[in-house]
Amino acid sequence: MKIKRVYIGGWFQRTTLHLTEVWDVFKNGKSGLGFNKKQLDAIQKLVAIDHISRENGKLEYILISTTSGIEYRIYEDGLIVLEKEIVSLQKDVAALKTYYDTRLSKALSVVFSKGAPVPKELANIQTILPYILTVEDATKAEVQKLYKDFKEDIYSTLQTKNVEVYRGAGLIVINNLKDQQLTREIIESQIFFREFKTQLHRYLTIHRIVWEKIARIKEQEFIVGSDVDAYRGELGDIQKTIDLIGARINQMGVYIRTRQKITDVESIDAYLNPLFQFKFETLQDTQEYIKYLWDMTKQYLASALESFAEIQNKSTKNSIASLQVITTIGVVAGILGYLARDTWPKFTGIGLFYFVLLLLMTAFLNWIISRIYRNKRYRLGGAHIVKDIK
C-alpha cells in the first residue's frame, strides 16, 4: 500500500468579494476594513505563507503553499481544501489539523470579523473535518489497520471497477483513484456536499433550540407585568438570531446552483457518483425543508412578540388612566379651594410645605398604582388581566 496525500476541508458562504479581502490581507498585508498594522502582521505570521497566487478556473481561487509543506485552495464560494503529501502519516495528519485549527481558522476569523456577527449558536459549534486519505494498491486488511490506527470504525465500503471508498465518521479512504486532478475534483465535491448537509443539520438543531426557548416564554399560562420587559428583551435577542441564520439559509440555494453548473459529471465519471452520492436535488430539497421550518419559527416568534406587545400596551393604558384620575382629583380640589377665597393667596412657609407634601403624596400614589399594575398577572395571548398577585 502506498499512502499518497491527506485532505481536509470546510465550507461557509463566501463570494468573490470576500476572496479579494483574503487576498489583500494574505498577499499584501493590507486591508480597507480598519485593521491596524499589528493585526495584519499577526495574520500573516499565523498563515506562514511560502507562496501565494490567485488562479482562475471554473471558480476563482487563491492557491497557497505554507512553509511547512501544506497546500490549500480558498475558492470564491467559500470552499477551503487543504492537502499534504504524506511523508509520515501521523505527523502529517496532525500538522494539517493543527494548521487549520490554530492558524488558518484564526486568521480567517479576524479577516471576517467585521460586519454581521456570527450567531452565538453557531460560533460555539465545533466543526468536524473528516480526513480524506488517497492510497494506492491497498488491501482490505491494510485499510482496516489504517482505521484502527486512527481509532475509527469503517461503517461502509463502496466499490466500482478498481476504485474503493471506505467511510468512517472521521476518516475516508479512497483507494486506486490515480488521477490527481480527478481526485481533487471529487474530494472538493465531497467536502462541499458534506459541509452543506452539516450546516443544514446545524440549522435544524438551532431551530429546535430556538423553538423551545420561545415556547418556554410564550406557553406560560400567566405572566407578571414586571417580567414583560425582560421577556421582550430575550425574544428580541432570539429575533436577531433568527434573522441572521434565516439570511444564511436563503443564500445557500445560490451555492448549490453554482456548484451544480461547474460539476462536470462526465469528467468526474458517472460511475463514481454512486460512491459519493452527488445528488444536488437532495441538497435543494433539504434546504427548502429547512427554509420552511425557519419560516414557521419566525411566525411563532412574531406571535409571541405580539402577545407581549398587547400586555405592555394594556398595562401602559391602565397606568395612564390612573394618573389621569389622580391629576383630575388634584386639579378639582385646588379649584374648589380657590373658588371659596376672596383674596389672592399669599406665599407662606406652611403653604410651601403643603405644596411639597402634595407632590410627595402624588408621587407615592403614582408609585403604588405602578406597583399594582406591575404585579398583576396577565394571560398570554389575549392579554387579559386575571387578578392581583397576593
Side-chain angles (χ1 to χ4, degrees):
M1 175 182 68
K2 184 177 182 180
I3 303 175
K4 302 288 289 182
R5 301 181 80 82
V6 58
Y7 301 79
I8 59 173
W11 173 78
F12 201 71
Q13 296 102 307
R14 293 290 179 254
T15 68
T16 186
L17 301 176
H18 296 98
L19 195 71
T20 298
E21 292 174 350
V22 174
W23 171 260
D24 288 341
V25 175
F26 281 21
K27 169 66 176 176
N28 304 313
K30 297 179 180 179
S31 173
L33 300 175
F35 298 116
N36 58 45
K37 187 177 186 303
K38 185 178 180 181
Q39 290 174 307
L40 296 171
D41 290 344
I43 292 173
Q44 289 197 308
K45 184 177 180 180
L46 274 174
V47 291
I49 294 174
D50 180 55
H51 178 266
I52 181 171
S53 61
R54 194 160 178 172
E55 308 287 340
N56 288 311
K58 295 178 180 178
L59 288 178
E60 191 175 5
Y61 64 94
I62 298 173
L63 176 61
I64 297 171
S65 298
T66 72
T67 54
S68 58
I70 294 170
E71 181 178 286
Y72 58 97
R73 290 166 168 77
I74 303 176
Y75 288 89
E76 64 178 272
D77 68 343
L79 186 71
I80 302 174
V81 181
L82 299 86
E83 59 184 278
K84 193 177 190 307
E85 188 173 355
I86 295 297
V87 178
S88 171
L89 178 59
Q90 294 295 338
K91 289 183 179 179
D92 290 331
V93 167
L96 198 64
K97 186 178 187 301
T98 299
Y99 181 84
Y100 183 89
D101 288 342
T102 65
R103 291 180 175 270
L104 182 58
S105 291
K106 288 184 177 181
L108 291 176
S109 293
V110 175
V111 174
F112 298 133
S113 62
K114 307 289 186 178
V118 175
K120 62 183 179 181
E121 287 84 359
L122 286 179
N124 296 327
I125 295 176
Q126 297 297 318
T127 302
I128 299 175
L129 299 172
Y131 303 109
I132 302 176
L133 286 177
T134 56
V135 301
E136 291 181 3
D137 304 322
T139 65
K140 186 174 182 179
E142 288 173 326
V143 173
Q144 288 174 336
K145 185 178 184 306
L146 265 180
Y147 275 85
K148 185 177 180 181
D149 291 340
F150 278 87
K151 298 180 181 180
E152 292 278 344
D153 294 320
I154 300 173
Y155 63 69
S156 71
T157 303
L158 301 169
Q159 182 173 3
T160 179
K161 297 185 178 180
N162 65 327
V163 178
E164 297 171 324
V165 177
Y166 299 85
R167 291 176 175 273
L171 179 66
I172 297 173
V173 176
I174 303 173
N175 185 27
N176 287 330
L177 187 56
K178 299 180 180 180
D179 185 323
Q180 187 172 339
Q181 180 59 33
L182 177 60
T183 300
R184 180 174 290 112
E185 290 184 19
I186 289 173
I187 288 173
E188 288 174 1
S189 297
Q190 169 67 14
I191 291 172
F192 175 77
F193 268 70
R194 182 162 184 148
E195 284 292 294
F196 195 100
K197 289 190 290 185
T198 298
Q199 285 197 29
L200 289 178
H201 193 262
R202 287 176 192 164
Y203 297 144
L204 175 61
T205 301
I206 294 171
H207 149 75
R208 291 167 176 159
I209 294 171
V210 168
W211 189 281
E212 289 300 316
K213 286 182 178 179
I214 299 171
R216 176 179 56 82
I217 297 171
K218 185 179 186 300
E219 302 306 323
Q220 298 177 81
E221 185 176 359
F222 302 110
I223 184 173
V224 180
S226 59
D227 293 336
V228 171
D229 287 341
Y231 282 134
R232 287 196 71 180
E234 187 174 350
L235 291 173
D237 291 338
I238 292 173
Q239 187 172 37
K240 292 177 184 177
T241 297
I242 288 177
D243 290 342
L244 285 169
I245 294 180
R248 295 187 184 278
I249 293 172
N250 290 333
Q251 292 170 354
M252 293 177 78
V254 176
Y255 296 96
I256 298 176
R257 293 191 293 273
T258 299
R259 280 283 161 184
Q260 190 170 21
K261 287 178 182 177
I262 68 172
T263 301
D264 188 343
V265 177
E266 293 182 2
S267 66
I268 289 181
D269 199 336
Y271 72 80
L272 287 176
N273 283 334
L275 294 181
F276 292 93
Q277 299 175 341
F278 295 156
K279 297 178 182 177
F280 288 100
E281 293 80 5
T282 302
L283 290 187
Q284 290 171 333
D285 292 344
T286 307
Q287 186 221 4
E288 287 299 319
Y289 172 75
I290 298 299
K291 284 175 63 177
Y292 173 73
L293 281 183
W294 217 249
D295 287 340
M296 286 178 59
T297 308
K298 290 177 69 174
Q299 293 171 13
Y300 190 44
L301 174 66
S303 68
L305 287 170
E306 183 179 355
S307 296
F308 279 92
E310 290 177 2
I311 291 174
Q312 198 165 44
N313 290 339
K314 184 77 172 180
S315 178
T316 302
K317 183 179 178 180
N318 289 335
S319 296
I320 292 173
S322 298
L323 288 175
Q324 288 174 336
V325 171
I326 293 173
T327 304
T328 302
I329 292 173
V331 170
V332 170
I335 291 173
L336 291 176
Y338 284 114
L339 286 175
R341 298 180 65 90
D342 55 7
T343 60
W344 289 102
K346 295 181 180 180
F347 180 81
T348 65
I350 294 177
L352 177 62
F353 174 77
Y354 174 77
F355 178 73
V356 172
L357 182 62
L358 185 62
L359 288 178
L360 291 175
M361 290 181 63
T362 302
F364 178 72
L365 288 173
N366 180 41
W367 179 82
I368 290 293
I369 291 171
S370 297
R371 191 75 176 169
I372 290 172
Y373 283 110
R374 284 176 59 83
N375 287 325
K376 283 187 179 293
R377 288 201 304 173
Y378 296 84
R379 188 184 298 276
L380 279 178
H384 299 305
I385 298 176
V386 181
K387 62 179 179 179
D388 296 343
I389 291 180
K390 303 298 184 183

